[in-house]
C-alpha cells in the first residue's frame, strides 16, 4: 500500500508538471501572458475606482461604452449587451442581449429601448426590473428623449417616424418618410445638429435623455427633412448642395457654404427660420471648423451646443455665435481656444493651456476660472463641466454657471454616465456610482 501511495503521488506530480509545461508552451507559441490577465482580474476586484470611494463598485459582464442613470437604476450599455444595477447599492438586476439600446423617459421612471438581436423590432423595459412595458415590432431605430421616444417604424406598408409616450408606447403622431432611411436606424442616429468638439463624450451624453426640441432634422438624398415635433408633421424640405453643410439648431436651420476665393476659402454662414425657411441672417468671414483636407467644401458639421455656434473670425479670435440671429455672444481673448458650450456658457482655454474659464453668453462676462494642467481635457454635459486628467488621475466636475466644485476624485477611471445626482465611473468591466457633493 505504501509503495502504491508513493507511486500515485509521483504520477500525480508528473501529471501536474505536464499540464503546467503544456500551458507554458502554449503561452510562448501564442504570445499570451496569463499573468497580465490575472493581474487585471485581481485589480478589478481589490482596488477602488476612486478616492474618496463612491457608493459602490461592481463588475459587469462587458466593458461599457456608456451608462444611463435613473433615480433607481444604472444601465450599462456594452454594445451587444445591456445590464442593469440598482443605483443605491449596485445590486445586479438584469442582463439582456441586443443589437442596439438606449435610455428614454424621465429620470423618475423611463424605459430602456432594447432592440431584437439580428432582427426588426424592440422592447421597452423598466430600467430597474427589466419587465417589458411595451413593444414595437416594426422598429428599426429610435431617437430617445426625456419626454418622448421617436421610433423609426418600417412595416410592409412603408416607413414612418412615430412619436410615442416613453412609459406606455402610446402613439401621439406619425410622419411618413416613404422609403427606409438607413442613416436613422439604430439608437439616436442621423439627427443633424451642431457637433460637440469633445466628441469622446457623445456616448455619455446620448445615454442621458434631454427634452425633445421643437424642430428636428435628418438628411435623405442630400435633402434636409425638417420636422415640427409640436405639430407632428414635416414642415419643409431643404436642398443641401455639395458645397454646404446644414444643421438644425433650436428654431433655425444653419447652413455653412464653402467656395474657393483669391485669398483662400470663402465661408458663408446663414440662418433660416426652421419652420418656414426664410433666411434671417448671414455672416461672411467666419470659420466654423467645417473644412478638411485641401478643398474648401465643408466636410464636418459646425460645432456648438444648444442655440450657440463656435467660430473663428478673420482676426483669428474665436467667438460664440447665436444660431438665432447670428450675433457674437462672446469673444475669446487672443490665443484662447473655445472648447465647447452648453448654450449657457462657453468654456475657453488659455493660450498656454494652464487655465480654463467660463464666459457667460447672456452678457459676455467671465463666470469663473480655474487653473489646470496642460494635459487636462474638458467634457461639457448638461449637468456639469468635467475636467479630466489621465496624467494626474483626477476627475473634477464643476457647475457650469458658478464653477462650484460638484465632484473631485482621484481616479484613473473614465466618466461613462452623468445624471443630476452624480456620475458612473468605468474602468474595464468595473463600474461604480459617485454622488455629486455640491448643489447644481
Amino acid at each position: 500500500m505504501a509503495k502504491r501511495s508513493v507511486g500515485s503521488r509521483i504520477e500525480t506530480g508528473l501529471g501536474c508538471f505536464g499540464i503546467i509545461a503544456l500551458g507554458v508552451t502554449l503561452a510562448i507559441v501564442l504570445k499570451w501572458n496569463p499573468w497580465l490577465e490575472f493581474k487585471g482580474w485581481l485589480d478589478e476586484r481589490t482596488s477602488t475606482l476612486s478616492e474618496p470611494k463612491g457608493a459602490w463598485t461592481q463588475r459587469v459582464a462587458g466593458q461599457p461604452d456608456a451608462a444611463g442613470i435613473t433615480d433607481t437604476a444604472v444601465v450599462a450599455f456594452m454594445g451587444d449587451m445591456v445590464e442593469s444595477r440598482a443605483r443605491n447599492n449596485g445590486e445586479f438586476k438584469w442582463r439582456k442581449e441586443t443589437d442596439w439600446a438606449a435610455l428614454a423617459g424621465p429620470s423618475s421612471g423611463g424605459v430602456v429601448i432594447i432592440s431584437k438581436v439580428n432582427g426588426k423590432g424592440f422592447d421597452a423595459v423598466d430600467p430597474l426590473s427589466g419587465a417589458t412595458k411595451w413593444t414595437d415590432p416594426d422598429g428599426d431605430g429610435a431617437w430617445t428623449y426625456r419626454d418622448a421616444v421617436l421610433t423609426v417604424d418600417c412595416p410592409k406598408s412603408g416607413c414612418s417616424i412615430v412619436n410615442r409616450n416613453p412609459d406606455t408606447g402610446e402613439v401621439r403622431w406619425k410622419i411618413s418618410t416613404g422609403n427606409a432611411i438607413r442613416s436613422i436606424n439604430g439608437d439616436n442616429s442621423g439627427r443633424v445638429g451642431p457637433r460637440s468638439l469633445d466628441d469622446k463624450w457623445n456616448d455619455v451624453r446620448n445615454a442621458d435623455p434631454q427634452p425633445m426640441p421643437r424642430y428636428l432634422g435628418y438628411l435623405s438624398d442630400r435633402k434636409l427633412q425638417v420636422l415640427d415635433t409640436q405639430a407632428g408633421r414635416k414642415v419643409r424640405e431643404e436642398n443641401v448642395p455639395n458645397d454646404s453643410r446644414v444643421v438644425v439648431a433650436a428654431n433655425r436651420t444653419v447652413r455653412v457654404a464653402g467656395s474657393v476665393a483669391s485669398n483662400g476659402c470663402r465661408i458663408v454662414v446663414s440662418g433660416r427660420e426652421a419652420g418656414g425657411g426664410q433666411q434671417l441672417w448671414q455672416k461672411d468671414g467666419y470659420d466654423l471648423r467645417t473644412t478638411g483636407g485641401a478643398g474648401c467644401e465643408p466636410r464636418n458639421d459646425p460645432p456648438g451646443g444648444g442655440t450657440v455656434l463656435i467660430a473663428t473670425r478673420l482676426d483669428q479670435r474665436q467667438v460664440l455665435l447665436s444660431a438665432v440671429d447670428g450675433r457674437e455672444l462672446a469673444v475669446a481673448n487672443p490665443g484662447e481656444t473655445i472648447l465647447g458650450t452648453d448654450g449657457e456658457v462657453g468654456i475657453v482655454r488659455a493660450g498656454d493651456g494652464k487655465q480654463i474659464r467660463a464666459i457667460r453668453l447672456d452678457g459676455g462676462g467671465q463666470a469663473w476660472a480655474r487653473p489646470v494642467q496642460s494635459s487636462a481635457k474638458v467634457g461639457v454635459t448638461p449637468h456639469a463641466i468635467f475636467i479630466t486628467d489621465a496624467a494626474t488621475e483626477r476627475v473634477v466636475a464643476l457647475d457650469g454657471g458658478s464653477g462650484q466644485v460638484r465632484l473631485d476624485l482621484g481616479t484613473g477611471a473614465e466618466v461613462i454616465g452623468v445624471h443630476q445626482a452624480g456620475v458612473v465611473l468605468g474602468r474595464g468591466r468595473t463600474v461604480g456610482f459617485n454622488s455629486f457633493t455640491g448643489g447644481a
Side-chain angles (χ1 to χ4, degrees), residues 69-376:
I69 309 171
T70 72
D71 290 353
T72 59
V74 167
V75 182
F77 298 104
M78 301 169 286
D80 60 356
M81 202 165 12
V82 185
E83 182 173 317
S84 173
R85 299 272 173 166
R87 201 187 90 178
N88 62 339
N89 60 12
E91 179 186 0
F92 173 80
K93 291 300 180 180
W94 54 265
R95 183 184 302 129
K96 298 178 185 291
E97 292 185 350
T98 184
D99 282 340
W100 55 267
L103 183 65
S107 178
S108 58
V111 291
V112 184
I113 305 296
I114 301 179
S115 77
K116 304 293 185 182
V117 177
N118 298 322
K120 185 188 293 290
F122 57 77
D123 295 327
V125 309
D126 183 273
L128 187 65
S129 70
T132 300
K133 302 180 78 171
W134 54 274
T135 297
D136 182 353
D138 298 312
D140 284 332
W143 293 341
T144 54
Y145 298 98
R146 191 178 299 167
D147 47 357
V149 179
L150 299 190
T151 63
V152 182
D153 286 6
C154 288
K156 292 182 179 179
S157 57
C159 295
S160 300
I161 294 176
V162 183
N163 182 341
R164 298 178 183 273
N165 181 311
D167 189 57
T168 64
E170 176 190 3
V171 174
R172 295 162 170 164
W173 52 250
K174 183 183 296 187
I175 301 171
S176 174
T177 65
N179 297 327
I181 301 168
R182 286 186 179 275
S183 64
I184 57 177
N185 288 353
D187 63 293
N188 294 301
S189 300
R191 292 173 296 189
V192 291
R195 65 183 169 92
S196 299
L197 292 175
D198 51 345
D199 56 3
K200 69 167 287 186
W201 289 78
N202 284 346
D203 287 341
V204 176
R205 282 184 289 257
N206 282 338
D208 176 34
Q210 298 300 304
M212 182 171 63
R214 167 75 183 272
Y215 293 102
L216 291 169
Y218 65 93
L219 288 172
S220 176
D221 298 326
R222 299 296 301 178
K223 293 179 180 179
L224 175 68
Q225 312 295 320
V226 182
L227 310 180
D228 183 336
T229 64
Q230 286 187 10
R233 62 188 180 92
K234 185 177 86 172
V235 290
R236 66 186 184 89
E237 186 176 87
E238 182 176 325
N239 289 320
V240 184
N242 290 331
D243 66 352
S244 301
R245 301 285 288 202
V246 176
V247 297
V248 179
N251 58 351
R252 300 287 183 263
T253 60
V254 177
R255 176 178 296 198
V256 182
S259 60
V260 178
S262 58
N263 59 345
C265 295
R266 182 186 179 219
I267 306 296
V268 179
V269 189
S270 58
R272 289 178 167 82
E273 201 280 316
Q278 302 89 347
Q279 182 168 309
L280 302 176
W281 59 268
Q282 179 173 305
K283 292 273 190 180
D284 289 6
Y286 288 83
D287 179 4
L288 276 80
R289 310 187 196 184
T290 56
T291 58
C296 296
E297 295 83 5
R299 299 175 183 270
N300 304 303
D301 290 330
T307 63
V308 181
L309 304 169
I310 299 170
T312 303
R313 298 190 311 203
L314 290 175
D315 63 2
Q316 300 306 303
R317 297 275 293 274
Q318 296 195 6
V319 299
L320 292 144
L321 299 176
S322 167
V324 176
D325 55 21
R327 286 181 301 119
E328 290 186 359
L329 300 174
V331 181
N333 292 329
E336 287 186 324
T337 301
I338 297 176
L339 303 178
T341 177
D342 62 0
E344 302 294 331
V345 296
I347 307 302
V348 178
R349 188 170 210 141
D352 63 3
K354 296 182 179 179
Q355 185 190 68
I356 290 173
R357 67 189 185 99
I359 306 175
R360 294 188 181 91
L361 301 184
D362 57 1
Q366 179 171 293
W368 51 265
R370 184 180 179 90
V372 296
Q373 299 292 323
S374 58
S375 55

Side-chain angles (χ1 to χ4, degrees), residues 12-47:
T12 301
L14 289 173
C16 292
F17 178 79
I19 293 172
I20 294 171
L22 178 61
V24 171
T25 302
L26 287 173
I28 293 172
V29 171
L30 300 176
K31 297 181 180 180
W32 169 59
N33 186 347
W35 165 247
L36 293 178
E37 292 196 8
F38 174 74
K39 183 177 183 298
W41 177 87
L42 186 64
D43 285 346
E44 286 187 334
R45 283 161 171 74
T46 59
S47 63

